[in-house]
Amino acid sequence: MPRRYDPERRQRIIDAAIRVVGRRGIAGLSHRTVAAEADVPLGSTTYHFASLDELLVAALRQANEGFGAAVRDSRALADPDADLATELARLMGEWLSGERTGVELEYELYLAALRRPALRPVAAEWTDSVAGILARRTDPLTARALMALMDGVCLQVLLTDAPYDAEYAREVLARVIG
């Protein structure tokens, strides 16, 4: 039987991995669960991703696009007259008010780098990328501090189920910005 050309298969596998992690957590991820979710033969997952870490790297890169894209595409961040703290607080509020599963998934994949060294460069790429965007409006040190603060605020909201307080976020971001 001839091999069927399927240029979308790799992407379907990544999308399936993200759905599996979203439902079952990283512990529920296997080539078998992803193949079933993507409706592809098991061999396809191992062909495209020799290890689960390779698959997690691809999933983390894709998941990281959410907030990073919002920051990158923000017109207000590009406007030197816009209030940076207000805009960042607004972006975090929009991100946290979206589909919670997606936000939790991004952080689960991001924090998986603690136990999976293969993911660390991807987590660092994401942090460096967003900090680079923020550094256009501040300096590199302040940009990294803003990243740390935003991560902390988001994790607190996710872990405590507390409502996001945009005014608090704006105030602490403004203090870091100076």
Side-chain angles (χ1 to χ4, degrees), residues 53 77 115:
D53 279 351
L77 286 180
R115 301 262 186 236

Side-chain angles (χ1 to χ4, degrees), residues 127-146:
T127 300
D128 291 345
S129 171
V130 176
I133 294 166
L134 296 175
R136 295 180 205 150
R137 290 285 315 274
T138 67
D139 59 86
L141 183 65
T142 302
R144 292 194 67 78
L146 290 170

Side-chain angles (χ1 to χ4, degrees), residues 13 16-17 20 24 26-56:
I13 292 169
V20 168
R24 300 180 181 185
I26 289 177
L29 186 74
S30 69
H31 282 288
R32 189 171 305 286
T33 58
V34 171
E37 179 71 25
D39 194 26
V40 299
L42 179 60
S44 287
T45 63
T46 57
Y47 172 79
H48 289 285
F49 303 97
S51 70
L52 287 180
D53 279 351
E54 283 183 30
L55 181 54
L56 282 170

Side-chain angles (χ1 to χ4, degrees), residues 84-106:
L84 182 58
T86 299
E87 180 61 10
L88 291 174
R90 183 190 66 75
L91 288 171
M92 283 194 309
E94 285 179 3
W95 189 59
L96 288 166
S97 69
E99 187 206 338
R100 180 142 179 151
T101 304
V103 176
E104 290 172 354
L105 170 70
E106 285 188 48

